[in-house]
Amino acid sequence: MEPVEINAGAWYLRAPRDDELIDDRPALAAMGETDPDYVTRCTAQWAADTGYVWAVCEPTTGEMVAEVRVDPAAATMHTRARDGHADAAAIAAQSVRRFAMAMLGVTIR
């Protein structure tokens, strides 16, 4: 599956990026992610339908403030956020939960 963008009210969800326009690696590092291949792995998981990861972003700047991850096989969801942005992760998780049920047929536990 190609990555799906979601509008979650005050937040914009998109696949994590590391390209000439947007580099989410500093935001990911602020959330504890140190694997330099993390974004590449997330892209591969989308393509293989083995995992779905959304960067939760401020819509006007595109700055990543949180992340939501769905494991469709385990029917689980995990979130993490930069300091001060737990609300963004929680709001985004509600939208991703609805997406998982409607589009993936996955009921998150």
Side-chain angles (χ1 to χ4, degrees):
M1 170 185 296
E2 290 291 318
V4 174
E5 297 176 352
I6 300 172
N7 181 335
W11 305 104
Y12 173 69
L13 284 62
R14 59 165 172 76
R17 292 177 55 179
D18 171 19
D19 57 37
E20 63 280 351
L21 297 177
I22 299 174
D23 184 357
D24 290 326
R25 291 175 301 167
L28 287 162
M31 291 185 279
E33 185 57 59
T34 59
D35 180 357
D37 295 322
Y38 182 75
V39 173
T40 302
R41 192 170 66 250
C42 291
T43 302
Q45 289 172 339
W46 269 100
D49 290 322
T50 57
Y52 308 102
V53 179
W54 285 268
V56 181
C57 303
E58 203 284 326
T60 58
T61 65
E63 178 185 7
M64 181 181 189
V65 298
E67 176 185 77
V68 179
R69 168 180 288 281
V70 170
D71 178 337
T76 57
M77 178 174 27
H78 300 280
T79 64
R80 58 183 169 177
R82 292 170 53 187
D83 286 343
H85 295 286
D87 62 325
I91 291 166
Q94 292 172 6
S95 294
V96 168
R97 185 178 304 276
R98 288 189 298 271
F99 172 84
M101 176 71 112
M103 301 305 292
L104 304 174
V106 175
T107 301
I108 302 296
R109 299 180 216 178

